[in-house]
């Protein structure tokens, strides 16, 4: 049975206390769980092979049995063994990016060799440069569960363009620290297993003949092992930070942490939005993107935006959705203050990629330009159409009163292409006419705050009250307003509110992604037109014998129904064959549903329990 988020967090909290009290006992439990996973999958494989050999011997002794049991037992068993063997040989994908050779960047490889020697870390087999603002080290087991690791060091070019050489050493030392020493080797093994079990579970989910043997076990085992390994992964992040401090010093390691947190957030919240605003004015996408990025990131380190992003990062608390501790906790563990370091006068990229730095920058810029060129031009053309529509609506407004959609479009286009002040006036006119519209309250609140008018806060409150979906954007706008006006203490309530909403959203996603015995269902209460449309669509599939639709009773966001459509397909003597297997994907692709909907085969052994509660829901049978 799937573990809920609350159960997962409770288990992680208990395990953290247990690991602190008795680290050895905790690690022994992790090893025991890892071996349990191995034992189960290999044990099932051995039993299946024994059955096949036994049945094969029986067929040789009594050939007439072949016609009776061959298709019913031997072939399904062989299929399950194939699924099992494929899962054991599961491959983690190779990271994407530009592989770099020692001949191209001898200074970089020499630096990596020094860091590896200082830490006693294993060999890096391949260095890959990407266009991400990130660094990572991955291990790809060439032989699936049997290991033989290939170590890949992934370095983001934008990151190397903004860090000093010492800061870069700290970042690389952190990544290599994940593999260094006995602790690192153990943690890396557990981390690889964590990823491998998820892949194995996914491969079993795809193999219907294996589901009865494996799904129940792995539905329990994978989240349980995930909780145990989560605690170890969290500890490993602190160990890796200590490796960074060992190589570069605690102050530099802290500076690298601050810079990567702040500039990573700056890219997502400032750089990219501003960049894509340019396609309203410019027909061609920038051709030297990474040169522009380098210049702006270095300039932004000393900006008010960077200080605001740092404060926000420091106020976030360590949670359960990421194995990385919060920035404030990591800096405290290093014993350093949170300060924005100055921009790099000479970046690590300038020094360590001297021979290929310019070429890589141009290469990545060309690739990015080629990937966005068509979409950029489409958006630019749409912007031109938008300006024409804005002129048309202004002319219409001089002739007659605009309808609600026309007035909203006029206000939206005015903000996009002309004046925020004029747009605010138009949105306020709209809100006066339609005071129950949550979107109107949100936009008016956002625009008031952008003009530093505190009245916008009450508009945001009203928008959230009328539609909770506005919470994350409203909280972001409020926090930016308070930071901009040096009222940071008042921002905390909105930061906390955002975190609570995100936590609730995570619980809602889990609740809406699972169906399990004990769930409650009630009548869907569809409008007659909706019901008739759904019925007529399902009538197009002769394979369907019966169909039921109901709603799952959910704790979060009850105003958004979660429908469950149960299908009873016609199956022959030997099962449904390919026609039944293809039925659900066809329905999902072709049928228009009344909202968020699960589509379930009620003859599937994993969901046979669901038929009774669906049948009992009021008015559920539709075919």
């Amino acid at each position: 049975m799937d573990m809920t988020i609350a159960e997962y967090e409770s288990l992680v909290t208990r395990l953290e206390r247990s690991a602190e009290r008795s680290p050895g006992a905790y690690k022994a439990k992790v090893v025991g769980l890892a071996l349990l996973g191995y034992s189960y999958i290999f044990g099932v494989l051995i039993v299946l092979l024994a059955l096949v050999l036994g049945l094969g011997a029986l067929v040789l002794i009594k050939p007439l049995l072949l016609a009776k049991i061959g298709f019913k037992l031997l072939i399904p068993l062989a299929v399950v063994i194939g699924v099992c063997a494929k899962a054991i040989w599961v491959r983690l994908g190779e990271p994407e990016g530009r592989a770099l050779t020692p001949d191209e960047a001898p200074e970089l490889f020499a630096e990596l060799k020094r860091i590896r020697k200082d830490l006693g870390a294993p060999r890096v087999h391949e260095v890959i440069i990407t266009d991400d603002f990130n660094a990572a080290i991955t291990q790809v087991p060439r032989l699936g569960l049997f290991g033989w690791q290939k170590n890949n060091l992934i370095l983001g070019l934008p990151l190397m363009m903004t860090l000093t050489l010492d800061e870069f050493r700290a970042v690389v030392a952190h990544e290599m620290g994940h593999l260094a020493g006995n602790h690192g080797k153990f943690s890396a093994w557990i981390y690889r297993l964590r990823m491998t079990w998820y892949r194995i579970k996914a491969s079993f989910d795809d193999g219907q003949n294996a589901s009865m043997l494996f799904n129940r076990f792995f539905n329990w085992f994978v989240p349980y092992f995930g909780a145990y390994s989560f605690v170890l992964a969290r500890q490993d992040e602190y160990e890796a930070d200590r490796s960074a401090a060992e190589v570069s010093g605690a102050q530099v390691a802290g500076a690298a942490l601050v810079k990567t947190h702040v500039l990573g957030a700056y890219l997502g919240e400032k750089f990219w939005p501003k960049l894509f605003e340019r396609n309203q004015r410019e027909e061609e996408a920038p051709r030297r993107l990474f040169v522009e990025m380098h210049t702006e990131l270095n300039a932004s380190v000393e900006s008010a935006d960077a200080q605001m992003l740092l404060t926000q990062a420091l106020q976030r608390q360590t949670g359960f959705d990421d194995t990385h501790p919060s920035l404030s906790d990591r800096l405290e563990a290093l014993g350093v203050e949170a300060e924005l370091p100055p921009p790099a006068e000479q970046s690590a990229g300038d020094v360590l990629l001297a021979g290929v730095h310019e070429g890589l920058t141009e290469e990545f810029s060309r690739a990015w330009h080629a990937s966005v060129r068509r979409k950029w031009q489409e958006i630019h053309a749409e912007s031109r159409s938008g300006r024409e529509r804005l002129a048309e609506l202004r002319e219409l407004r001089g002739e007659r009163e605009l309808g609600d959609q026309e007035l909203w479009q006029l206000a939206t286009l005015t903000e996009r292409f002309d004046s925020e002040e004029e747009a605010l006036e138009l949105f306020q006119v709209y809100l006066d006419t339609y005071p129950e519209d949550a979107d109107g309250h949100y936009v008016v609140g956002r625009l008031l705050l952008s003009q530093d008018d505190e009245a916008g806060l009450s508009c945001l409150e009203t928008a959230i009250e009328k539609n909770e979906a506005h919470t994350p954007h409203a909280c972001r706008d409020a926090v930016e307003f308070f930071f901009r006006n040096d009222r940071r203490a008042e921002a905390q309530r909105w930061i906390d509110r955002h975190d609570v909403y995100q936590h609730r959203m995570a619980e809602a996603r889990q609740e809406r992604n699972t169906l399990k015995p004990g769930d409650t269902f009630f009548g869907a209460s569809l409008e007659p037109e909706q019901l008739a449309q759904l019925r007529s669509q399902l009538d197009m599939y002769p394979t369907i014998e019966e169909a039921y639709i109901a709603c799952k009773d959910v704790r979060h966001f009850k105003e958004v129904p979660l429908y469950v459509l149960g299908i009873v397909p016609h199956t022959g003597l030997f099962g449904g064959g390919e026609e039944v297997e293809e039925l659900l994907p066809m329905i999902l692709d072709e049928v228009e549903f009344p909202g968020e909907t699960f589509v379930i085969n009620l003859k599937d052994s994993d969901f046979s329990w669901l038929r009774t509660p669906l049948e009992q829901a009021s008015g559920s049978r539709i075919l």
Side-chain angles (χ1 to χ4, degrees):
M1 187 176 295
D2 289 331
M3 186 184 297
T4 67
I5 290 177
E7 290 169 340
Y8 180 86
E9 293 180 355
S10 176
L11 177 58
V12 169
T13 301
R14 293 199 307 273
L15 291 172
E16 285 178 330
R17 291 196 293 264
S18 175
E20 189 174 344
R21 288 194 307 268
S22 181
Y26 160 71
K27 287 185 178 181
K29 290 178 182 178
V30 175
V31 172
L33 269 178
L35 295 178
L36 174 63
Y38 277 108
S39 300
Y40 186 87
I41 194 169
F42 282 107
V44 170
L45 181 58
I46 291 169
V47 171
L48 290 173
L49 287 171
L51 283 173
V52 169
L53 291 174
L55 289 169
L58 185 60
V59 168
L60 291 175
I61 296 170
K62 296 186 176 182
L64 291 178
L65 287 176
L66 178 61
K68 293 183 179 180
I69 68 171
F71 288 103
K72 290 185 177 180
L73 291 175
L74 283 176
I75 293 178
L77 280 173
V79 170
V80 176
I81 289 172
V83 173
C84 191
K86 181 180 177 183
I88 290 173
W89 210 261
V90 66
R91 296 292 300 271
L92 300 180
E94 292 279 356
E96 296 182 357
R98 163 72 151 77
L100 207 60
T101 67
D103 290 340
E104 289 179 297
E107 294 87 353
L108 171 63
F109 281 83
E111 187 61 51
L112 297 179
K113 185 177 181 180
R114 283 192 289 270
I115 296 171
R116 185 169 69 85
K117 184 177 179 181
D118 289 343
L119 295 175
R123 175 190 171 194
V124 172
H125 297 98
E126 190 166 40
V127 175
I128 298 170
I129 304 295
T130 71
D131 58 4
D132 297 323
F133 190 84
N134 192 24
I137 197 160
T138 67
Q139 290 192 306
V140 179
R142 300 179 179 98
L143 301 180
L145 283 179
F146 299 105
W148 192 30
Q149 314 307 325
K150 179 185 176 187
N151 300 324
N152 301 299
L153 179 62
I154 304 165
L155 301 173
L157 183 63
L159 187 69
M160 293 188 71
M161 293 190 305
T162 54
L163 297 179
T164 66
L165 182 56
D166 286 340
E167 291 164 352
F168 173 76
R169 287 192 185 107
V171 169
V172 173
H174 173 96
E175 299 305 328
M176 288 189 176
H178 285 302
L179 307 182
N182 291 329
H183 173 87
K185 292 174 183 176
F186 176 73
S187 297
W189 173 57
I190 295 299
Y191 178 80
R192 289 195 308 273
L193 274 185
R194 188 181 188 186
M195 298 298 103
T196 303
W197 291 134
Y198 278 111
R199 292 291 183 90
I200 288 175
K201 181 180 181 299
S203 67
F204 286 145
D205 289 341
D206 292 339
Q208 293 184 353
N209 293 312
S211 61
M212 291 182 64
L213 286 172
F214 297 106
N215 279 358
R216 287 184 182 275
F217 175 76
F218 278 100
N219 283 342
W220 164 80
F221 175 76
V222 171
Y224 201 74
F225 185 78
Y228 267 83
S229 56
F230 182 96
V231 176
L232 185 67
R234 175 71 54 80
Q235 293 176 341
D236 191 48
E237 290 300 330
Y238 288 115
E239 290 283 348
D241 282 345
R242 284 191 279 274
S243 296
E246 179 184 335
V247 168
S248 296
Q251 290 294 334
V252 174
L257 279 174
V258 168
K259 189 176 280 189
T260 53
H261 271 75
V262 169
L263 296 187
Y266 183 90
L267 275 175
E269 297 185 25
K270 302 295 178 182
F271 178 82
W272 290 113
K274 285 193 298 184
L275 178 78
F276 282 101
E277 284 177 5
R278 288 165 53 181
N279 62 18
Q280 298 177 16
R281 307 182 304 274
E282 302 171 15
E283 188 172 358
E284 276 290 331
R287 292 185 176 275
R288 306 193 70 203
L289 171 75
F290 289 92
V291 175
E292 294 185 24
M293 184 186 293
H294 182 190
T295 302
E296 183 163 340
L297 283 178
N298 275 319
S300 71
V301 172
E302 297 178 314
S303 69
D305 285 332
Q307 187 59 56
M308 180 191 74
L309 292 169
L310 173 60
T311 305
Q312 287 178 326
L314 292 171
Q315 289 174 330
R316 294 191 184 99
Q317 297 180 348
T318 297
F320 297 95
D321 57 343
D322 188 354
T323 57
H324 289 82
S326 67
L327 176 60
S328 57
D329 285 348
R330 295 174 73 177
L331 294 175
E332 182 180 353
L334 287 171
V336 300
E337 297 294 324
E339 295 179 351
L340 275 168
E345 294 183 6
Q346 188 177 39
S347 73
D350 293 329
V351 177
L352 301 178
L353 300 174
V356 290
H357 189 199
E358 185 175 345
L360 286 172
T361 301
E362 292 298 325
E363 181 181 328
F364 284 143
S365 293
R366 284 196 303 272
W368 179 84
H369 181 271
S371 69
V372 304
R373 183 170 180 268
R374 177 177 294 181
K375 186 65 177 177
W376 184 285
Q377 290 176 341
E378 288 176 0
I379 296 174
H380 180 76
E382 188 271 330
S383 297
R384 188 166 54 246
S385 299
R387 292 181 185 278
E388 293 170 358
R389 177 59 175 163
L390 174 60
E392 179 185 336
L393 286 169
R394 282 175 169 166
E395 186 175 341
L396 282 175
R397 195 180 184 217
E399 300 171 358
R400 62 172 174 82
E401 185 176 340
L402 297 181
D404 57 344
Q405 293 185 7
E406 291 175 320
L407 182 56
W408 180 270
Q409 188 180 24
L410 173 62
T412 302
L413 293 173
T414 300
E415 180 187 3
R416 182 177 175 185
F417 297 116
D418 202 339
S419 160
E420 273 195 8
E421 290 77 8
E422 185 182 346
L424 176 58
E425 292 177 7
L426 290 168
F427 279 119
Q428 286 173 324
V429 170
Y430 175 89
L431 196 55
D432 289 341
T433 310
Y434 308 100
E436 295 303 311
D437 190 289
D439 295 346
H441 284 281
Y442 168 69
V443 175
V444 169
R446 173 175 59 78
L447 290 174
L448 285 171
L449 291 185
S450 73
Q451 298 177 16
D452 287 334
D453 186 338
E454 193 167 348
L457 294 171
S458 63
C459 292
L460 296 185
E461 293 279 8
T462 304
I464 294 172
E465 181 183 330
K466 293 182 178 298
N467 185 348
E468 281 187 284
H470 284 299
T471 302
H473 298 294
C475 290
R476 179 203 62 197
D477 296 328
V479 169
E480 288 188 354
F481 165 76
F482 284 121
F483 272 79
R484 194 167 57 246
N485 290 278
D486 201 22
R487 296 164 59 181
R488 294 173 186 172
E490 295 174 78
Q492 188 59 47
R493 182 174 74 88
W494 291 85
I495 293 172
D496 294 342
R497 191 173 186 174
H498 178 273
D499 292 343
V500 168
Y501 178 83
Q502 291 298 104
H503 182 80
R504 189 176 168 211
M505 280 293 294
E507 290 187 329
R509 281 194 297 271
Q510 184 184 51
E511 183 181 43
R512 288 168 177 270
N513 286 336
T514 58
L515 295 173
K516 59 183 184 297
D519 286 341
T520 303
F521 301 88
F522 56 88
S525 301
L526 296 176
E527 295 293 331
E529 297 80 8
Q530 292 178 306
L531 186 58
Q533 181 183 10
L534 182 58
R535 214 180 248 130
S536 66
Q537 292 180 91
L538 295 177
D539 269 334
M540 302 296 292
Y541 301 93
T543 313
I544 299 176
E545 284 187 352
E546 302 171 31
Y548 302 84
I549 189 165
C551 283
K552 176 181 174 179
D553 188 16
V554 294
R555 292 186 300 119
H556 303 289
F557 306 105
K558 287 180 176 290
E559 67 278 7
V560 182
L562 175 63
Y563 297 101
V564 180
L565 177 65
I567 299 297
V568 181
H570 172 74
T571 54
L573 181 62
F574 297 102
E578 292 184 6
E579 188 176 0
V580 171
E581 289 183 11
E582 295 172 358
L583 178 61
L584 260 61
M586 288 172 61
I587 291 173
L588 287 167
D589 185 52
E590 298 171 358
V591 172
E592 183 178 346
F593 299 106
E596 186 179 356
T597 306
F598 265 112
V599 182
I600 301 297
N601 176 1
L602 294 178
K603 286 192 175 180
D604 187 321
S605 59
D606 287 337
F607 293 102
S608 57
W609 60 269
L610 185 58
R611 181 162 183 167
T612 298
L614 285 187
E615 288 177 343
Q616 292 175 347
S618 174
S620 62
R621 182 161 182 177
I622 56 176
L623 281 184

